[in-house]
Amino acid sequence: MSNKIKLTVLGLLITLNSLKAQQTSNKSYDVCIYGATSAGVVAAYTAAKYGKSVLLIEPGKHVGGMSSGGLGLTDIGNKYAISGIALDFYRRVGQHYGQFEQWIFEPHVAEDIFHTYLEKAKVPVLYQHRITAVKKQGNVITEILLESTGPRSVGRVKAKMFIDCSYEGDVMARAGVSYVVGREANTAYGETFNGVQLTNGHQLPDGIDPYKVKGDAKSGLLWGITKGQLAEKGSGDNKVQAYNFRICLSNDPKNRIPITKPAHYQPERYELLIRQMEKRTWKSLQDVFIWSRMPNQKTDINNRNGFSTDMIGMNWDYPDADYRKRQEIWSAHTDYTKGLLYFVGHDPRIPEHIRAEMNEWGYPKDEYMDNENWTHQLYVREARRMKGALVMTQHHCEGREMVQDGIGMAAYTMDSHNCERLVVNGMVKNEGNVEEGGFGPYPIAYRAITPKETEAANLLVPVCLSATHIAYGSIRMEPVFMVLGQSAALAAVKAIDGKSAVQEVDVAALQRQLKENPLADGSAPDVLIDNSDSFRVKVSGKWSVQKRGGYGPDYFLSDGHTDSSSFIRYYPDPNIKGRYEIYTYYAKLPERKAVTAVKVFDGKRLQEVVIKDEEVKVVGQTSGEWVKLGDYIFSGNGKPYVEITGNGEKVAADAVLLVAASK
């Protein structure tokens, strides 16, 4: 299919979906979801699969948010944290590329999958409509008012339940729900990584002069440097971590459009890049960009080091800005980023080999075809954050506090990009970067996605949820948003059925249903046997428990001096019946033996499988990969097991997964 035909089909799909939404706009919906981000799509699909009438509203013209907007190198932390429809999404990505699961992908592949969910559940999408006001009766939202940026207009939408899946929290804010923008002081919640932080991460080298004319303060500061002074470490403010675009380029000569000089090009904006280069040798594009390869000769480019794609300090007004101001900020980021790409490829001060490397790349012809081949989504890493019944903090991330009402998990490092670039001791420095990990998956409270009942009884907020700045930096990952979107939708369904406020939903029942019906379609759930399940895992011989890496909280590692009597054995339910695909998790380790021996007993027959290290390719930011052991039929007899043997070598034993073959 040609690009022109694809673009026509896309436009027709948007028009038909908007007409479908408009035709039913006068009725009251069960669930209205604002923001067709990845969380919004999953929430809409879930609610519809449970038989509720649903309307999904999207201010733009695309679905999927950052997941279809260039963030193809999925930030996970630990795949154990990802469940339900979110996990199904990454398996559908895998199927597209001929794999079981895959966590790196092209933008259009993600958007196609999101459309598949919406079409399957028959969810109407109202595109190019954005919220202007919320009407309430007491603490109950009755309707939201909208303005159109497209050719058709729907002025208001009524619903029983509302779910705000926008990156900005616009429904939440207009509904009068308490929220915060910026960074809390460390003292507010007894944290250590919140507030002002001057670290070496993504930092400029020492000694860079901040002035337009070196050594002359009267000449003024270079572009991109604020006039403020460094505040006390850990102090709070209203500054927001930097936004950028996750950039998809192609080096396929048949699929690339040259990077030409953009409108509003201002090369003086990149003077700091030249000065950084003078202090730090620039060997390749990887020294200034995280230049990650995606399938089919494409990229997901992210910020790296002191001066890169992050537009530091230029987004502080964005969360609470009106739509006009937000568009100005968005356009400024577009001009800056396209200008940076052109600058690196053409400015004579850039080393020739770097210019040559950059000019191998161009905008992809087959992506974002209705937006001049440029992403439709600014990476709004953080905007408003709700102040709900419970605030997730650093203590929850690190496991020092544990919630019992978890309805999703997070596992990523506490991650904040820089918030400000200023002069410190006569040098240019970036401030705000934090990258602190070392902890396992942890639960996210249901109370963190629900407002205080006095403020809104029929609203759920799974994206701009209740968390401190630094905790949000761990939670704010696309697969986690999908998980929380599904949980929010099921909670909305339960609140409707129970005629209750969302705060009164039986969380234990919600947790059970998420586990028993993970895809919201009645299909059989996976059977996961992790190392921590002591009733279903037998350990023989000397194995140490490794707390970092692998799948889930830990994995087993043999000491390298064991014999064949040393093994880890995983037992499914002995009554299990039917055909299943069996996988074991192959952890990504710095040292690993060349061959891992696995035995599979289905209750009747024993089969041996050999995993060769060189045949397992770990892709993307993952802790390992699932390796298929084969298809097996269980009769409900015997005592089936999967066994990994030590064999006198260092061997890792991690989780075992059984997937019903009908999936």
Side-chain angles (χ1 to χ4, degrees):
M1 186 183 293
S2 71
N3 288 343
K4 183 176 290 186
I5 294 174
K6 286 181 181 179
L7 187 57
T8 302
V9 171
L10 176 62
L12 181 61
L13 178 62
I14 292 172
T15 301
L16 290 175
N17 223 324
S18 292
L19 283 171
K20 183 179 178 182
Q22 193 174 17
Q23 288 168 1
T24 56
S25 62
N26 292 325
K27 75 174 187 178
S28 178
Y29 290 87
D30 290 323
V31 183
C32 174
I33 298 162
Y34 186 80
T37 59
S38 59
V41 172
V42 170
Y45 174 82
T46 302
K49 293 300 285 184
Y50 277 101
K52 303 305 179 188
S53 59
V54 179
L55 179 65
L56 178 59
I57 302 172
E58 166 52 33
K61 297 189 290 184
H62 293 267
V63 300
M66 282 306 304
S67 288
S68 62
L71 206 168
L73 187 72
T74 308
D75 295 317
I76 312 164
N78 193 313
K79 288 190 240 183
Y80 179 84
I82 311 308
S83 58
I85 298 166
L87 185 56
D88 182 70
F89 170 82
Y90 294 103
R91 289 187 183 170
R92 287 174 183 260
V93 171
Q95 291 168 12
H96 177 84
Y97 292 110
Q99 304 294 325
F100 173 55
E101 288 176 4
Q102 187 153 311
W103 303 74
I104 66 169
F105 47 84
E106 300 158 89
H108 77 272
V109 171
E111 187 161 13
D112 287 347
I113 293 171
F114 287 127
H115 277 299
T116 298
Y117 284 122
L118 296 172
E119 292 161 8
K120 186 176 181 180
K122 297 181 172 58
V123 174
V125 184
L126 183 61
Y127 291 98
Q128 294 179 281
H129 280 74
R130 56 197 187 192
I131 189 169
T132 57
V134 169
K135 288 193 173 183
K136 297 168 66 177
Q137 290 182 357
N139 65 345
V140 175
I141 300 172
T142 57
E143 63 181 351
I144 61 175
L145 305 185
L146 305 168
E147 66 179 17
S148 172
T149 60
R152 298 171 179 83
S153 179
V154 174
R156 61 187 63 224
V157 172
K158 298 178 180 180
K160 296 174 183 176
M161 291 286 157
F162 293 84
I163 305 176
D164 187 348
C165 289
S166 66
Y167 292 123
E168 296 84 4
D170 284 340
V171 177
M172 171 190 75
R174 285 169 173 80
V177 171
S178 300
Y179 66 89
V180 64
V181 173
R183 301 179 285 184
E184 298 89 353
N186 272 327
T187 54
Y189 293 94
E191 298 173 306
T192 57
F193 299 122
N194 211 334
V196 173
Q197 300 285 336
L198 186 66
T199 70
N200 291 324
H202 295 285
Q203 188 57 272
L204 290 153
D206 286 347
I208 293 182
D209 191 296
Y211 302 112
K212 293 178 180 177
V213 177
K214 291 182 179 180
D216 183 2
K218 293 182 180 180
S219 65
L221 295 170
L222 289 173
W223 183 91
I225 305 173
T226 60
K227 296 180 179 179
Q229 294 184 337
L230 182 66
E232 180 182 357
K233 181 179 179 180
S235 59
D237 55 33
N238 61 356
K239 296 168 185 174
V240 180
Q241 64 172 305
Y243 300 165
N244 72 344
F245 288 103
R246 298 293 287 256
I247 309 166
C248 182
L249 300 179
S250 172
N251 68 349
D252 179 355
K254 297 179 181 179
N255 192 41
R256 71 182 181 201
I257 300 170
I259 298 172
T260 56
K261 183 186 292 186
H264 314 117
Y265 178 59
Q266 300 179 61
E268 63 273 14
R269 291 186 167 189
Y270 313 107
E271 177 62 29
L272 272 175
L273 179 59
I274 298 298
R275 295 190 187 183
Q276 176 180 267
M277 183 180 66
E278 292 170 352
K279 297 287 185 179
R280 183 187 290 149
T281 303
W282 195 351
K283 298 178 182 178
S284 76
L285 291 173
Q286 291 285 4
D287 291 321
V288 171
F289 307 93
I290 298 178
W291 201 280
S292 302
R293 296 297 186 99
M294 295 296 105
N296 294 317
Q297 297 179 248
K298 293 177 186 173
T299 65
D300 170 2
I301 301 170
N302 197 10
N303 182 81
R304 170 168 276 158
N305 291 329
F307 191 96
S308 186
T309 62
D310 276 2
M311 203 169 171
I312 299 171
M314 305 295 180
N315 61 329
W316 298 346
D317 293 335
Y318 183 89
D320 276 328
D322 60 26
Y323 293 125
R324 181 192 59 78
K325 180 64 175 176
R326 279 188 188 169
Q327 185 56 54
E328 289 178 2
I329 294 170
W330 191 305
S331 296
H333 279 71
T334 302
D335 292 341
Y336 167 80
T337 310
K338 288 185 174 182
L340 175 63
L341 297 175
Y342 179 79
F343 182 85
V344 171
H346 295 85
D347 193 279
R349 293 170 294 174
I350 301 295
E352 185 177 358
H353 70 281
I354 298 294
R355 281 181 278 148
E357 187 180 2
M358 173 61 81
N359 288 320
E360 293 176 0
W361 297 88
Y363 301 119
K365 292 180 181 179
D366 61 346
E367 300 287 354
Y368 317 125
M369 291 177 288
D370 64 342
N371 198 44
E372 298 180 346
N373 309 97
W374 182 253
T375 175
H376 51 78
Q377 182 63 60
L378 177 66
Y379 195 177
V380 179
R381 290 190 171 93
E382 182 179 337
R384 302 178 176 111
R385 302 188 309 280
M386 182 171 65
K387 294 177 70 174
L390 179 137
V391 179
M392 298 292 295
T393 70
Q394 177 182 333
H395 310 300
H396 296 105
C397 299
E398 295 178 333
R400 294 198 298 273
E401 292 184 22
M402 191 74 69
V403 302
Q404 298 303 311
D405 60 338
I407 40 78
M409 301 189 80
Y412 201 72
T413 297
M414 290 179 288
D415 185 313
S416 173
H417 282 235
N418 281 300
C419 299
E420 186 173 16
R421 181 178 287 138
L422 69 173
V423 179
V424 180
N425 298 325
M427 302 178 291
V428 187
K429 289 293 172 183
N430 296 334
E431 180 277 311
N433 185 82
V434 178
E435 297 169 83
E436 293 290 339
F439 46 82
Y442 60 92
I444 302 165
Y446 178 66
R447 288 165 291 167
I449 69 168
T450 52
K452 297 169 185 174
E453 188 171 353
T454 55
E455 295 180 342
N458 62 334
L459 173 67
L460 292 137
V461 187
V463 176
C464 294
L465 73 161
S466 181
T468 64
H469 158 71
I470 199 59
Y472 192 80
S474 171
I475 297 169
R476 62 170 180 85
M477 304 303 155
E478 288 289 293
V480 177
F481 285 156
M482 290 189 228
V483 171
L484 296 178
Q486 179 175 355
S487 300
L490 182 54
V493 169
K494 287 187 168 297
I496 292 170
D497 291 345
K499 298 180 180 179
S500 70
V502 295
Q503 293 82 4
E504 297 169 357
V505 166
D506 183 340
V507 178
L510 175 63
Q511 292 169 327
R512 286 194 301 272
Q513 196 161 348
L514 288 168
K515 184 176 182 180
E516 293 169 0
N517 189 16
L519 300 186
D521 62 0
S523 59
D526 295 344
V527 177
L528 172 67
I529 313 171
D530 196 34
N531 299 326
S532 56
D533 190 344
S534 58
F535 294 103
R536 300 169 72 184
V537 179
K538 180 180 179 180
V539 181
S540 174
K542 296 181 179 180
W543 297 77
S544 61
V545 178
Q546 304 296 310
K547 293 291 187 181
R548 298 189 65 177
Y551 184 86
D554 53 44
Y555 64 92
F556 293 116
L557 187 65
S558 67
D559 65 1
H561 301 287
T562 55
D563 55 30
S564 58
S565 65
S566 177
F567 60 82
I568 305 292
R569 188 174 287 177
Y570 301 86
Y571 291 99
D573 184 334
N575 299 315
I576 190 171
K577 291 183 179 181
R579 181 185 294 273
Y580 284 84
E581 300 171 358
I582 300 183
Y583 298 81
T584 187
Y585 200 74
Y586 200 73
K588 180 170 62 178
L589 305 175
E591 297 180 11
R592 182 196 284 139
K593 70 187 293 292
V595 175
T596 298
V598 185
K599 297 177 181 178
V600 181
F601 179 60
D602 62 8
K604 291 184 177 180
R605 294 178 300 173
L606 180 67
Q607 299 184 49
E608 295 190 11
V609 181
V610 172
I611 302 174
K612 296 181 180 180
D613 180 66
E614 67 269 15
E615 295 177 356
V616 181
K617 184 179 181 181
V618 179
V619 180
Q621 299 190 70
T622 66
S623 55
E625 295 292 342
W626 290 109
V627 175
K628 188 173 182 179
L629 303 177
D631 295 342
Y632 299 85
I633 298 175
F634 297 94
S635 63
N637 299 316
K639 194 174 182 180
Y641 62 80
V642 176
E643 178 183 295
I644 297 177
T645 307
N647 285 339
E649 298 283 351
K650 281 196 173 183
V651 174
D654 213 335
V656 166
L657 181 70
L658 284 73
V659 180
S662 59
K663 279 191 172 183

